[in-house]
PDB file of all heavy atoms in Angstrom:
ATOM      1  N   ARG A  60     -35.472   9.239  25.184  1.00 95.00           N
ATOM      2  CA  ARG A  60     -34.328   8.434  25.510  1.00 95.00           C
ATOM      3  C   ARG A  60     -33.781   7.910  24.128  1.00 95.00           C
ATOM      4  O   ARG A  60     -34.480   7.354  23.301  1.00 95.00           O
ATOM      5  CB  ARG A  60     -34.862   7.240  26.340  1.00 95.00           C
ATOM      6  CG  ARG A  60     -35.402   7.514  27.706  1.00 95.00           C
ATOM      7  CD  ARG A  60     -34.325   8.242  28.621  1.00 95.00           C
ATOM      8  NE  ARG A  60     -33.258   7.273  28.826  1.00 95.00           N
ATOM      9  CZ  ARG A  60     -33.016   6.457  29.897  1.00 95.00           C
ATOM     10  NH1 ARG A  60     -34.088   6.398  30.701  1.00 95.00           N
ATOM     11  NH2 ARG A  60     -32.065   5.758  30.086  1.00 95.00           N
ATOM     12  N   VAL A  61     -32.371   8.086  24.019  1.00 94.00           N
ATOM     13  CA  VAL A  61     -31.693   7.645  22.789  1.00 94.00           C
ATOM     14  C   VAL A  61     -31.642   6.047  22.966  1.00 94.00           C
ATOM     15  O   VAL A  61     -31.053   5.493  23.921  1.00 94.00           O
ATOM     16  CB  VAL A  61     -30.401   8.241  22.651  1.00 94.00           C
ATOM     17  CG1 VAL A  61     -29.598   7.496  21.435  1.00 94.00           C
ATOM     18  CG2 VAL A  61     -30.507   9.736  22.384  1.00 94.00           C
ATOM     19  N   THR A  62     -32.221   5.426  21.991  1.00 94.00           N
ATOM     20  CA  THR A  62     -32.076   3.938  21.844  1.00 94.00           C
ATOM     21  C   THR A  62     -31.045   3.268  21.129  1.00 94.00           C
ATOM     22  O   THR A  62     -30.785   2.099  21.116  1.00 94.00           O
ATOM     23  CB  THR A  62     -33.576   3.346  21.485  1.00 94.00           C
ATOM     24  OG1 THR A  62     -33.829   3.954  20.127  1.00 94.00           O
ATOM     25  CG2 THR A  62     -34.555   3.811  22.398  1.00 94.00           C
ATOM     26  N   GLY A  63     -30.337   4.179  20.225  1.00 95.00           N
ATOM     27  CA  GLY A  63     -29.429   3.716  19.411  1.00 95.00           C
ATOM     28  C   GLY A  63     -28.993   4.660  18.363  1.00 95.00           C
ATOM     29  O   GLY A  63     -29.633   5.678  18.138  1.00 95.00           O
ATOM     30  N   TYR A  64     -27.920   4.324  17.560  1.00 96.00           N
ATOM     31  CA  TYR A  64     -27.455   5.088  16.482  1.00 96.00           C
ATOM     32  C   TYR A  64     -27.455   4.129  15.237  1.00 96.00           C
ATOM     33  O   TYR A  64     -26.553   3.247  15.219  1.00 96.00           O
ATOM     34  CB  TYR A  64     -26.155   5.686  16.731  1.00 96.00           C
ATOM     35  CG  TYR A  64     -26.139   6.770  17.835  1.00 96.00           C
ATOM     36  CD1 TYR A  64     -25.796   6.383  19.207  1.00 96.00           C
ATOM     37  CD2 TYR A  64     -26.568   8.111  17.543  1.00 96.00           C
ATOM     38  CE1 TYR A  64     -25.886   7.257  20.190  1.00 96.00           C
ATOM     39  CE2 TYR A  64     -26.475   9.080  18.564  1.00 96.00           C
ATOM     40  CZ  TYR A  64     -26.158   8.658  19.886  1.00 96.00           C
ATOM     41  OH  TYR A  64     -26.136   9.504  20.859  1.00 96.00           O
ATOM     42  N   ASN A  65     -28.269   4.431  14.236  1.00 97.00           N
ATOM     43  CA  ASN A  65     -28.057   3.687  12.892  1.00 97.00           C
ATOM     44  C   ASN A  65     -27.165   4.320  12.043  1.00 97.00           C
ATOM     45  O   ASN A  65     -26.997   5.538  11.929  1.00 97.00           O
ATOM     46  CB  ASN A  65     -29.413   3.580  12.237  1.00 97.00           C
ATOM     47  CG  ASN A  65     -30.467   2.707  13.030  1.00 97.00           C
ATOM     48  OD1 ASN A  65     -30.009   1.874  13.935  1.00 97.00           O
ATOM     49  ND2 ASN A  65     -31.765   2.814  12.687  1.00 97.00           N
ATOM     50  N   LEU A  66     -26.430   3.546  11.295  1.00 96.00           N
ATOM     51  CA  LEU A  66     -25.481   4.025  10.261  1.00 96.00           C
ATOM     52  C   LEU A  66     -25.681   3.243   9.031  1.00 96.00           C
ATOM     53  O   LEU A  66     -25.886   2.066   9.008  1.00 96.00           O
ATOM     54  CB  LEU A  66     -24.023   3.747  10.780  1.00 96.00           C
ATOM     55  CG  LEU A  66     -22.962   4.340   9.814  1.00 96.00           C
ATOM     56  CD1 LEU A  66     -21.680   4.780  10.514  1.00 96.00           C
ATOM     57  CD2 LEU A  66     -22.489   3.308   8.697  1.00 96.00           C
ATOM     58  N   SER A  67     -25.778   4.063   7.929  1.00 96.00           N
ATOM     59  CA  SER A  67     -25.995   3.373   6.614  1.00 96.00           C
ATOM     60  C   SER A  67     -25.147   4.073   5.558  1.00 96.00           C
ATOM     61  O   SER A  67     -24.744   5.302   5.679  1.00 96.00           O
ATOM     62  CB  SER A  67     -27.489   3.476   6.221  1.00 96.00           C
ATOM     63  OG  SER A  67     -27.919   4.812   6.082  1.00 96.00           O
ATOM     64  N   TYR A  68     -24.781   3.287   4.573  1.00 96.00           N
ATOM     65  CA  TYR A  68     -24.053   3.827   3.428  1.00 96.00           C
ATOM     66  C   TYR A  68     -24.403   3.066   2.159  1.00 96.00           C
ATOM     67  O   TYR A  68     -24.771   1.964   2.248  1.00 96.00           O
ATOM     68  CB  TYR A  68     -22.558   3.737   3.736  1.00 96.00           C
ATOM     69  CG  TYR A  68     -21.814   2.475   3.736  1.00 96.00           C
ATOM     70  CD1 TYR A  68     -21.256   1.909   2.736  1.00 96.00           C
ATOM     71  CD2 TYR A  68     -21.891   1.796   4.873  1.00 96.00           C
ATOM     72  CE1 TYR A  68     -20.541   0.698   2.773  1.00 96.00           C
ATOM     73  CE2 TYR A  68     -21.251   0.570   5.013  1.00 96.00           C
ATOM     74  CZ  TYR A  68     -20.610  -0.002   3.996  1.00 96.00           C
ATOM     75  OH  TYR A  68     -20.056  -1.304   3.962  1.00 96.00           O
ATOM     76  N   THR A  69     -24.126   3.753   1.006  1.00 96.00           N
ATOM     77  CA  THR A  69     -24.353   3.256  -0.231  1.00 96.00           C
ATOM     78  C   THR A  69     -23.173   3.291  -1.059  1.00 96.00           C
ATOM     79  O   THR A  69     -22.700   4.314  -1.306  1.00 96.00           O
ATOM     80  CB  THR A  69     -25.627   3.935  -0.951  1.00 96.00           C
ATOM     81  OG1 THR A  69     -26.713   3.783  -0.196  1.00 96.00           O
ATOM     82  CG2 THR A  69     -25.975   3.332  -2.264  1.00 96.00           C
ATOM     83  N   PHE A  70     -22.641   2.146  -1.499  1.00 96.00           N
ATOM     84  CA  PHE A  70     -21.475   2.159  -2.333  1.00 96.00           C
ATOM     85  C   PHE A  70     -21.760   1.751  -3.726  1.00 96.00           C
ATOM     86  O   PHE A  70     -22.716   1.002  -3.999  1.00 96.00           O
ATOM     87  CB  PHE A  70     -20.452   1.092  -1.669  1.00 96.00           C
ATOM     88  CG  PHE A  70     -20.870  -0.286  -1.775  1.00 96.00           C
ATOM     89  CD1 PHE A  70     -20.317  -1.105  -2.980  1.00 96.00           C
ATOM     90  CD2 PHE A  70     -21.475  -0.975  -0.674  1.00 96.00           C
ATOM     91  CE1 PHE A  70     -20.625  -2.527  -2.904  1.00 96.00           C
ATOM     92  CE2 PHE A  70     -21.752  -2.388  -0.821  1.00 96.00           C
ATOM     93  CZ  PHE A  70     -21.499  -3.020  -1.920  1.00 96.00           C
ATOM     94  N   HIS A  71     -20.841   2.029  -4.628  1.00 96.00           N
ATOM     95  CA  HIS A  71     -20.941   1.867  -6.005  1.00 96.00           C
ATOM     96  C   HIS A  71     -19.824   1.039  -6.682  1.00 96.00           C
ATOM     97  O   HIS A  71     -19.849   0.706  -7.838  1.00 96.00           O
ATOM     98  CB  HIS A  71     -21.141   3.084  -6.848  1.00 96.00           C
ATOM     99  CG  HIS A  71     -22.314   3.857  -6.345  1.00 96.00           C
ATOM    100  ND1 HIS A  71     -23.743   3.624  -6.957  1.00 96.00           N
ATOM    101  CD2 HIS A  71     -22.717   4.852  -5.448  1.00 96.00           C
ATOM    102  CE1 HIS A  71     -24.670   4.327  -6.354  1.00 96.00           C
ATOM    103  NE2 HIS A  71     -23.976   5.048  -5.380  1.00 96.00           N
ATOM    104  N   ASP A  72     -18.667   0.718  -5.905  1.00 96.00           N
ATOM    105  CA  ASP A  72     -17.627   0.019  -6.371  1.00 96.00           C
ATOM    106  C   ASP A  72     -17.910  -1.439  -6.060  1.00 96.00           C
ATOM    107  O   ASP A  72     -17.646  -1.838  -4.967  1.00 96.00           O
ATOM    108  CB  ASP A  72     -16.378   0.565  -5.689  1.00 96.00           C
ATOM    109  CG  ASP A  72     -15.833   1.843  -6.329  1.00 96.00           C
ATOM    110  OD1 ASP A  72     -16.559   2.438  -7.040  1.00 96.00           O
ATOM    111  OD2 ASP A  72     -14.700   2.138  -6.149  1.00 96.00           O
ATOM    112  N   PHE A  73     -18.250  -2.218  -7.098  1.00 94.00           N
ATOM    113  CA  PHE A  73     -18.696  -3.646  -6.851  1.00 94.00           C
ATOM    114  C   PHE A  73     -17.292  -4.442  -6.966  1.00 94.00           C
ATOM    115  O   PHE A  73     -17.112  -5.247  -7.729  1.00 94.00           O
ATOM    116  CB  PHE A  73     -19.565  -4.044  -7.961  1.00 94.00           C
ATOM    117  CG  PHE A  73     -20.991  -3.707  -7.720  1.00 94.00           C
ATOM    118  CD1 PHE A  73     -21.283  -2.576  -6.912  1.00 94.00           C
ATOM    119  CD2 PHE A  73     -21.967  -4.458  -8.202  1.00 94.00           C
ATOM    120  CE1 PHE A  73     -22.597  -2.322  -6.590  1.00 94.00           C
ATOM    121  CE2 PHE A  73     -23.380  -4.066  -7.864  1.00 94.00           C
ATOM    122  CZ  PHE A  73     -23.601  -3.023  -7.081  1.00 94.00           C
ATOM    123  N   ASN A  74     -16.392  -4.232  -5.798  1.00 95.00           N
ATOM    124  CA  ASN A  74     -15.187  -5.026  -5.839  1.00 95.00           C
ATOM    125  C   ASN A  74     -15.325  -6.067  -4.812  1.00 95.00           C
ATOM    126  O   ASN A  74     -16.298  -6.134  -4.037  1.00 95.00           O
ATOM    127  CB  ASN A  74     -13.914  -4.187  -5.618  1.00 95.00           C
ATOM    128  CG  ASN A  74     -14.154  -3.430  -4.292  1.00 95.00           C
ATOM    129  OD1 ASN A  74     -14.444  -3.924  -3.228  1.00 95.00           O
ATOM    130  ND2 ASN A  74     -13.791  -2.053  -4.420  1.00 95.00           N
ATOM    131  N   ALA A  75     -14.373  -7.009  -4.746  1.00 95.00           N
ATOM    132  CA  ALA A  75     -14.559  -8.295  -3.975  1.00 95.00           C
ATOM    133  C   ALA A  75     -14.434  -7.847  -2.440  1.00 95.00           C
ATOM    134  O   ALA A  75     -15.258  -8.468  -1.696  1.00 95.00           O
ATOM    135  CB  ALA A  75     -13.376  -9.277  -4.250  1.00 95.00           C
ATOM    136  N   ALA A  76     -13.637  -6.883  -2.096  1.00 95.00           N
ATOM    137  CA  ALA A  76     -13.513  -6.488  -0.701  1.00 95.00           C
ATOM    138  C   ALA A  76     -14.808  -5.919  -0.188  1.00 95.00           C
ATOM    139  O   ALA A  76     -15.258  -6.249   0.918  1.00 95.00           O
ATOM    140  CB  ALA A  76     -12.386  -5.564  -0.453  1.00 95.00           C
ATOM    141  N   ASN A  77     -15.394  -5.065  -0.998  1.00 96.00           N
ATOM    142  CA  ASN A  77     -16.687  -4.575  -0.543  1.00 96.00           C
ATOM    143  C   ASN A  77     -17.850  -5.521  -0.310  1.00 96.00           C
ATOM    144  O   ASN A  77     -18.598  -5.524   0.597  1.00 96.00           O
ATOM    145  CB  ASN A  77     -17.190  -3.388  -1.531  1.00 96.00           C
ATOM    146  CG  ASN A  77     -16.405  -2.075  -1.263  1.00 96.00           C
ATOM    147  OD1 ASN A  77     -15.866  -1.924  -0.267  1.00 96.00           O
ATOM    148  ND2 ASN A  77     -16.432  -1.216  -2.256  1.00 96.00           N
TER     149      ASN A  77
END
Side-chain angles (χ1 to χ4, degrees):
R60 299 294 301 265
V61 174
T62 58
Y64 296 93
N65 291 345
L66 181 147
S67 61
Y68 66 98
T69 301
F70 68 89
H71 297 271
D72 283 15
F73 278 29
N74 59 46
N77 282 343

